[in-house]
Amino acid sequence: MRNLPVKDGAEQHSATASKRRSLLTRLVSQSRRGRVGSYAFYAREFIRSTTPRKLANLVAIKVQHRLRCERVMGMPVTYFIDPINVCNLRCPLCPTGRGVLARPPGRMALDDLRQVVDEIAPYAYRIELYNWGEPLLHPDIYEMIQYVSQSGISVGLSSNLNRLDAKMARRLVESGLSQLVVSIDGATQESYATYRRRGQLDRVLSNLQLLLETRNELESRTPFIVWRMLVGKHNEHEVEAVRKTAYQMGVDAFATSVLFIDTADPEQIEEWLPTDPAYSPYDYEDRTPSNQWDCHDLWESMVINWDGGVAPCCWLHDPQFDFANLSEQSVRQIWNGPVYLSARRVIGKRKGKPDDVATICHRCRGQPSYLEY
């Protein structure tokens, strides 16, 4: 295990400070060029997706999040909808890649996706159409993207891009996809495949070039393409080389992102934590690092799995922690149901009630244990 310095009393960092550092590393690790492009893109998408009703709902949600209200008068504005939890790679820090995903493998039916979108369209600004799998493996992914986009909702996708051909590239651009995050974590096959196991760097770069050329050919501004590099000990020395390649190819933004680990596993700490703390969400002065999370999910977003299971956040893959299932209740019914109310009380540090329901949020309390749930 990495020898992390022991903190004395004068060096103690508050959980708030650690949380702030974690979020800064997670969200703002882009170049200036990438940030400017991203801000402009999100501004355009916000304007395109906004209606008076959505805007009023967004303001209400933000205020109630700040007040930590247990009952929310409004609907989520962001959704993570997982169309498929199967992947063609074997990434060693991903439950899917490790083969320990607790939810059975499967894919969401197109009609089920349409039913969800029809209910949330008056309120939703954004749908991230991925979570625990490779979305381009879903045979109906283009129709799903198109339905979301035509419903006035910005839609994002994240892909390892190991699977693409000319027809797929064209359908992806024509689908109305707003943003595509492409995960490429190395400048060489050796460093890339250290994490993206079974992946081929030359194939991914060829596919990315194909997608960029197709977008140009169709004279489309979308999808906005972000090259994302997960940084660990194995590839931190290649960040600048990867950044240079990304912009030479013509992507819209390049961002580094963090590798979350099981903080109770010393082998993972030793193998994956980068030596440069700028690339990590963890406090290197803490001998027992932990994940710190500024939880806004219970007030602003919802996670919907392929089987309709609703989870409080995207960290969870075990159906035993689901709050409800859309086969039994609507999004609105679930959103202010007894499970969500109980979770908001504990995370909002409000007084519990006799009818509280025990949830994973009572165990997490803003310090999620990745890969342990």
Side-chain angles (χ1 to χ4, degrees):
M1 178 174 179
R2 172 177 306 218
N3 293 320
L4 297 172
V6 180
K7 299 185 294 185
D8 61 28
E11 294 174 320
Q12 293 291 330
H13 291 278
S14 68
T16 302
S18 177
K19 184 182 298 182
R20 188 180 302 117
R21 178 174 176 272
S22 171
L23 292 172
L24 181 67
T25 306
R26 183 170 60 93
L27 297 177
V28 195
S29 53
Q30 289 188 354
S31 67
R32 180 179 179 182
R33 172 180 172 181
R35 288 198 299 270
V36 170
S38 295
Y39 293 153
F41 162 75
Y42 285 120
R44 291 196 304 268
E45 287 297 295
F46 181 81
I47 293 169
R48 184 183 74 85
S49 303
T50 292
T51 65
R53 187 177 185 181
K54 283 187 182 182
L55 187 59
N57 180 74
L58 174 63
V59 172
I61 287 292
K62 291 291 186 181
V63 170
Q64 291 170 99
H65 173 206
R66 180 61 62 92
L67 297 175
R68 292 293 197 266
C69 297
E70 60 183 63
R71 183 174 294 276
V72 178
M73 298 298 104
M75 292 281 280
V77 295
T78 303
Y79 296 80
F80 293 84
I81 300 180
D82 197 4
I84 187 170
N85 65 346
V86 175
C87 189
N88 48 344
L89 300 190
R90 294 295 180 265
C91 303
L93 293 180
C94 173
T96 308
R98 290 164 62 93
V100 298
L101 198 70
R103 194 177 305 273
R107 65 190 190 207
M108 179 177 284
L110 179 57
D111 286 343
D112 290 343
L113 183 279
R114 288 171 173 163
Q115 184 175 345
V116 173
V117 171
D118 288 345
E119 181 180 1
I120 67 177
Y123 313 96
Y125 272 93
R126 177 87 170 183
I127 290 179
E128 303 290 356
L129 206 52
Y130 64 92
N131 198 9
W132 293 115
E134 169 51 54
L136 294 183
L137 295 178
H138 198 298
D140 298 325
I141 192 64
Y142 311 101
E143 290 81 1
M144 288 180 161
I145 296 168
Q146 185 175 42
Y147 196 80
V148 173
S149 180
Q150 291 178 347
S151 299
I153 306 171
S154 180
V155 55
L157 216 66
S158 177
S159 172
N160 60 58
L161 215 63
N162 270 266
R163 181 176 182 267
L164 194 79
D165 57 30
K167 181 179 179 180
M168 293 170 66
R170 190 176 189 90
R171 294 185 72 185
L172 205 56
V173 174
E174 293 178 335
S175 68
L177 179 64
S178 304
Q179 182 185 54
L180 176 67
V181 175
V182 182
S183 299
I184 309 176
D185 311 320
T188 65
Q189 173 63 22
E190 181 182 6
S191 61
Y192 170 79
T194 298
Y195 188 74
R196 303 289 168 181
R197 295 177 183 173
R198 292 192 181 179
Q200 292 294 323
L201 180 60
D202 56 349
R203 180 193 303 155
V204 175
L205 295 178
S206 177
N207 289 344
L208 177 58
Q209 188 64 48
L210 171 63
L211 184 60
L212 288 164
E213 291 172 353
T214 303
R215 189 181 67 172
N216 291 338
E217 176 189 337
L218 296 175
E219 298 181 344
S220 176
R221 299 176 70 177
T222 57
F224 185 87
I225 298 176
V226 180
W227 178 318
R228 181 177 61 189
M229 178 183 184
L230 297 183
V231 181
K233 181 186 289 187
H234 64 292
N235 65 357
E236 60 184 317
H237 61 288
E238 294 184 347
V239 170
E240 290 310 314
V242 174
R243 187 196 310 272
K244 182 179 179 180
T245 300
Y247 284 128
Q248 284 177 340
M249 290 192 67
V251 300
D252 301 298
F254 170 82
T256 59
S257 192
V258 303
L259 281 171
F260 287 104
I261 61 172
D262 177 358
T263 55
D265 186 338
E267 292 185 3
Q268 285 190 20
I269 293 174
E270 179 62 32
E271 181 176 3
W272 294 107
L273 240 59
T275 58
D276 186 344
Y279 295 124
S280 175
Y282 302 106
D283 187 348
Y284 281 27
E285 294 181 352
D286 191 342
R287 70 168 68 190
T288 55
S290 63
N291 293 307
Q292 302 289 336
W293 199 257
D294 183 15
C295 186
H296 61 269
D297 304 77
L298 296 173
W299 287 269
E300 300 185 22
S301 65
M302 179 179 283
V303 176
I304 301 172
N305 290 283
W306 75 265
D307 57 359
V310 173
C313 72
C314 61
W315 286 72
L316 305 171
H317 61 89
D318 195 326
Q320 70 170 307
F321 301 126
D322 287 353
F323 277 15
N325 195 287
L326 288 173
S327 65
E328 302 168 351
Q329 295 175 285
S330 68
V331 171
R332 181 176 290 278
Q333 289 171 329
I334 295 169
W335 186 236
N336 276 311
V339 185
Y340 261 104
L341 295 182
S342 297
R344 291 191 191 112
R345 287 185 200 116
V346 69
I347 296 297
K349 298 181 179 179
R350 290 179 173 268
K351 185 177 180 180
K353 295 185 178 180
D355 60 346
D356 271 357
V357 179
T359 71
I360 187 61
C361 300
H362 290 71
R363 172 178 163 186
C364 168
R365 296 177 183 267
Q367 295 186 348
S369 300
Y370 184 60
L371 295 176
E372 289 186 28
Y373 293 151

